């Protein structure tokens, strides 16, 4: 046997065995599972890694409320505040995830949510909206009244005397209320106690500050693909720092402060089902938010699951159902431990959507509806990648009964004062990432059967090729005759005519007689 024949036999044998091996694996493994196992390894070379590193990315839209009847309300002519919504005031947001360490089972990274913040005048309600002048209740004054009513009830007289020169309503620019909101009395106290109070109460000034967020999360198939990107610790702890005092009074079941098993809202496990338990860390409200499956929804050619971040009428956790002694309504929860100066504060959906608070008793001008105000996430369930998100919440000051305060403050008794509301709209995923998701969901499930058939045919062809080469480069016809036991190429034919006694025989030669 020549060297060339031996080489061809070796190569064809290798090809055939490889195809048989891959065919055997295909009988055992679903191709989608194999892809998912590689995805949860979270390798640096992943095609989706660049998108994750430069996340979160999207648009932050803020909304304020302009009071149009401040003088009439203060004088007692009007019993309800009339408000107009101002917004959106839109900013482009680009974050960054910095990987600090990794191994086969977990990765530790620092999340910088607001690496780049840029005002987008063309996508705001007006290019000069930051210079618009609006009227707003003095939330610093009213928040302080609500807080001292609970922590120092005997300070009412002194409070009225100190704040008598504070205006009940403030006129200022949109920029002032979002970024530089302060008052002379607050500035004075802050100068005396710089470590106790911050003088700037602008919601965006405080919300977009850098916060320490160092996550350690599960990766790798050994941890189970259902546990992919579930959090092990946040800043080296399992308890959210601001909720440590509550952890001494409340169990995990009663208070959502334990980050273990939650997600950071960037990636989720593959093969989600509607009943898969999912929670996200809501760092701006210092709590864990459960994702509540709502319904399937079509988005960008993909079948997704829609999850709510706050259900209409949702009962607040027992440890977050009260703010400075004020019982909160359904559809909202306490965030006072997470805002500037520990001010009385509660989050709800915008315009009090889904809340049991009867806002029409105190206001005119709100228009709560699901399309504009329901917070949700759209998730592609096969890959566990969010494809759209509108993260919407409204910050409110719950007011107690102010009967013991001055007459001008009594008008705000038992009201909920919205300071602003915001929407983080997730940016569009890169086309390449969307294409990979589409291929994984739409193409891969239908590829496995044809691939298995092709592998089997290649294995059979390789086996035949090895036999043909070993027997001297036989053609397929010669191989068939050899296998069937017909080695001679001569054919014998005997023809018998029944009308005569003559037998005509042809055996590898022409007959000498003519057949009539």
């Amino acid at each position: 046997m020549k060297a060339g024949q031996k080489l061809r036999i070796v190569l064809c044998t290798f090809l055939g065995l490889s195809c048989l091996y891959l065919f055997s694996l295909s009988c055992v493994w679903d191709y989608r599972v194999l892809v998912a196992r590689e995805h949860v390894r979270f390798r640096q070379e992943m095609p989706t890694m660049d998108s994750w590193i430069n996340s979160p990315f999207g648009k932050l839209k803020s909304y304020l409320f302009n009071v149009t009847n401040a003088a009439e309300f203060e004088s007692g002519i009007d019993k309800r505040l009339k408000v107009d919504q101002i917004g959106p005031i839109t900013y482009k947001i680009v974050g960054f995830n910095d990987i600090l360490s990794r191994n086969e089972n977990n990765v530790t990274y620092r999340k910088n949510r607001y690496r780049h913040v840029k005002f987008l005048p063309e996508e705001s309600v007006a290019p000069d909206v930051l210079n618009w002048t609006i009227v707003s209740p003095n939330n610093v004054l009213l928040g302080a009244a609500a807080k001292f009513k609970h922590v120092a009830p005997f300070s009412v007289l002194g409070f009225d005397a100190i704040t008598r020169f504070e205006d009940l309503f403030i006129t200022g620019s949109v920029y002032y209320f979002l970024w530089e909101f302060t008052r002379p009395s607050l500035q004075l106290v802050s100068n005396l106690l710089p470590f106790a109070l911050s003088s700037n109460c602008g919601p965006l000034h405080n919300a977009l500050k850098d916060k320490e967020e160092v996550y350690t999360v599960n990766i790798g198939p050994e941890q189970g693909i259902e546990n992919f990107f579930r959090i092990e610790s946040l800043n080296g702890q399992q308890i959210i720092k601001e909720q440590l005092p509550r952890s001494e009074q409340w169990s995990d079941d009663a208070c959502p402060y334990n980050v273990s098993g939650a997600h950071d809202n960037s990636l989720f496990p593959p093969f989600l089902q509607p009943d898969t338990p999912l929670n996200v860390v809501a760092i701006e409200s210092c709590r864990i938010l459960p994702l509540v499956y709502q319904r399937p929804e079509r988005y960008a050619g993909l079948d997704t699951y829609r999850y709510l971040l706050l259900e209409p009428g949702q009962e607040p956790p027992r440890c977050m159902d009260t703010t400075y002694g004020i019982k909160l309504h359904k559809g909202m929860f306490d965030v006072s431990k997470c805002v500037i100066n520990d001010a009385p504060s509660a989050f709800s959906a915008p315009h009090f959507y889904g809340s049991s608070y009867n806002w029409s008793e105190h206001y005119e001008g709100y228009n709560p509806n699901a399309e504009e105000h329901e917070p949700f996430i759209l998730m592609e369930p096969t890959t566990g990648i969010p494809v759209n998100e509108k993260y919407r919440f409204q910050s409110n000051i719950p007011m107690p009964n102010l009967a013991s305060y001055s007459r001008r403050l009594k008008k705000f008794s038992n009201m909920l004062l919205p300071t602003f509301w915001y929407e983080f709209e997730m940016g569009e995923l890169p086309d390449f990432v969307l294409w990979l998701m589409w291929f994984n969901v739409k193409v891969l499930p239908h590829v496995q059967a044809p691939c298995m058939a092709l592998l089997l045919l290649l294995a059979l062809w390789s086996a035949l090729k090895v036999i043909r080469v070993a027997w001297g480069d036989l053609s397929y016809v010669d191989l068939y005759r050899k296998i069937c036991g017909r080695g001679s190429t001569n054919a014998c034919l005997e023809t018998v005519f029944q009308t005569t006694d003559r037998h005509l025989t042809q055996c590898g030669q022409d007959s000498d007689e003519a057949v009539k």
Side-chain angles (χ1 to χ4, degrees):
M1 185 180 296
K2 296 180 181 180
Q5 288 178 304
K6 291 181 180 179
L7 179 60
R8 281 186 289 167
I9 289 174
V10 171
L11 292 177
C12 289
T13 301
F14 176 77
L15 176 62
L17 292 176
S18 299
C19 289
L20 282 176
Y21 175 72
L22 293 175
F23 177 79
S24 301
L25 285 181
S26 300
C27 292
V28 177
W29 289 98
D30 187 328
Y31 284 3
R32 291 178 299 174
V33 174
L34 291 176
V35 171
R37 286 174 65 84
E38 287 304 309
H39 170 66
V40 302
R41 292 184 194 279
F42 201 61
R43 300 182 191 274
Q44 195 72 27
E45 302 80 19
M46 282 175 52
T48 56
M49 180 62 77
D50 183 67
S51 176
W52 176 82
I53 286 177
N54 294 287
S55 69
F57 54 91
K59 298 171 187 175
L60 179 65
K61 301 177 181 180
S62 300
Y63 299 81
L64 295 170
F65 296 104
N66 178 39
V67 177
T68 60
N69 66 333
E72 292 82 355
F73 182 82
E74 193 168 0
S75 66
I77 296 175
D78 289 345
K79 302 300 181 183
R80 299 189 297 176
L81 287 176
K82 298 178 181 179
V83 297
D84 285 337
Q85 178 174 280
I86 305 297
I89 304 110
T90 307
Y91 291 85
K92 179 182 178 180
I93 300 292
V94 179
F96 181 73
N97 293 304
D98 183 18
I99 296 178
L100 305 178
S101 65
R102 61 173 296 145
N103 56 43
E104 292 182 356
N105 296 320
N106 57 60
V107 60
T108 299
Y109 60 93
R110 175 176 285 108
K111 182 177 286 292
N112 304 283
R113 293 182 183 270
Y114 310 112
R115 182 175 58 160
H116 296 300
V117 178
K118 180 183 178 182
F119 176 60
L120 299 178
E122 68 282 358
E123 297 195 29
S124 300
V125 65
D128 63 341
V129 63
L130 293 176
N131 297 321
W132 286 10
T133 299
I134 64 172
V135 177
S136 173
N138 188 339
N139 293 325
V140 172
L141 171 67
L142 295 168
K147 184 173 182 177
F148 281 108
K149 175 68 162 49
H150 179 72
V151 300
F154 298 107
S155 64
V156 172
L157 294 177
F159 183 87
D160 282 335
I162 293 173
T163 60
R164 61 178 178 167
F165 296 111
E166 280 283 348
D167 295 326
L168 202 57
F169 291 91
I170 303 169
T171 301
S173 68
V174 167
Y175 182 86
Y176 167 74
F177 284 109
L178 287 177
W179 292 99
E180 296 180 344
F181 185 33
T182 189
R183 301 304 300 154
S185 56
L186 181 62
Q187 187 74 50
L188 175 63
V189 176
S190 178
N191 291 336
L192 296 174
L193 302 170
F195 299 105
L197 290 175
S198 173
S199 61
N200 190 340
C201 295
L204 290 188
H205 168 79
N206 292 289
L208 301 186
K209 281 182 177 179
D210 288 333
K211 299 179 178 68
E212 183 70 0
E213 288 184 75
V214 177
Y215 293 91
T216 298
V217 300
N218 294 326
I219 61 171
E222 289 76 14
Q223 299 276 46
I225 61 175
E226 70 278 4
N227 293 318
F228 175 62
F229 244 67
R230 292 192 185 272
I231 296 172
E232 294 181 6
S233 66
L234 170 60
N235 298 327
Q237 300 179 355
Q238 291 187 332
I239 307 299
I240 296 175
K241 181 181 67 174
E242 290 81 1
Q243 303 293 355
L244 283 173
R246 283 176 169 155
S247 68
E248 299 173 358
Q249 307 172 32
W250 300 91
S251 66
D252 292 8
D253 296 334
C255 200
Y257 53 67
N258 194 324
V259 302
S260 180
H263 293 83
D264 75 336
N265 203 23
S266 63
L267 293 173
F268 294 83
F271 306 119
L272 296 174
Q273 297 297 323
D275 59 351
T276 302
L278 296 174
N279 301 288
V280 297
V281 174
I283 203 69
E284 74 290 335
S285 55
C286 305
R287 63 162 294 182
I288 307 301
L289 279 173
L291 298 187
V292 181
Y293 174 79
Q294 187 183 35
R295 64 175 184 264
E297 186 167 316
R298 189 83 171 169
Y299 180 82
L302 296 169
D303 295 318
T304 69
Y305 289 168
R306 181 183 173 107
Y307 293 89
L308 298 183
L309 291 154
L310 186 65
E311 279 189 293
Q314 184 172 312
E315 290 280 358
R318 284 186 292 161
C319 67
M320 296 180 175
D321 64 356
T322 304
T323 298
Y324 285 97
I326 304 168
K327 186 71 174 178
L328 297 178
H329 298 268
K330 294 179 181 179
M332 56 184 63
F333 55 90
D334 173 51
V335 294
S336 58
K337 299 296 182 185
C338 205
V339 297
I340 191 70
N341 298 333
D342 290 341
S345 186
F347 270 14
S348 68
H351 288 233
F352 304 107
Y353 170 76
S355 166
S356 61
Y357 172 55
N358 182 16
W359 58 267
S360 61
E361 182 182 347
H362 301 126
Y363 295 100
E364 296 178 23
Y366 293 120
N367 180 34
N369 63 86
E371 182 178 354
E372 295 179 299
H373 304 134
E374 190 172 64
F376 68 90
I377 296 176
L378 293 184
M379 197 98 65
E380 198 293 302
T382 301
T383 60
I385 297 177
V387 295
N388 190 24
E389 173 182 352
K390 293 197 175 178
Y391 196 95
R392 301 158 163 163
F393 284 99
Q394 177 174 291
S395 179
N396 310 285
I397 302 175
M399 300 302 297
N401 187 334
L402 299 176
S404 55
Y405 282 84
S406 61
R407 188 174 65 177
R408 66 176 191 152
L409 293 180
K410 290 179 185 178
K411 298 180 176 66
F412 292 91
S413 291
N414 304 314
M415 293 178 68
L416 278 165
L417 297 175
T419 56
F420 86 124
W421 74 270
Y422 68 93
E423 172 189 286
F424 176 77
E425 181 182 4
M426 174 182 166
E428 290 288 337
L429 290 171
D431 290 341
F432 182 61
V433 175
L434 285 173
W435 182 87
L436 285 176
M437 293 172 64
W438 179 85
F439 181 84
N440 194 18
V441 174
K442 299 294 185 181
V443 177
L444 204 56
H446 307 291
V447 165
Q448 187 157 357
C451 282
M452 291 175 67
L454 180 61
L455 289 171
L456 197 57
L457 287 174
L458 283 173
L460 178 61
W461 177 86
S462 300
L464 293 175
K465 184 70 173 178
V466 169
I467 295 172
R468 288 171 53 216
V469 172
W471 285 357
D473 285 328
L474 295 177
S475 68
Y476 284 106
V477 174
D478 291 339
L479 179 62
Y480 170 76
R481 289 172 176 167
K482 191 173 185 69
I483 292 174
C484 293
R486 297 181 179 180
S488 174
T489 58
N490 294 326
C492 295
L493 176 65
E494 181 180 17
T495 305
V496 178
F497 291 91
Q498 308 213 350
T499 57
T500 68
D501 295 333
R502 181 183 302 169
H503 290 73
L504 300 177
T505 304
Q506 179 178 338
C507 185
Q509 58 186 6
D510 295 331
S511 174
D512 293 334
E513 298 183 13
V515 179
K516 297 180 180 180

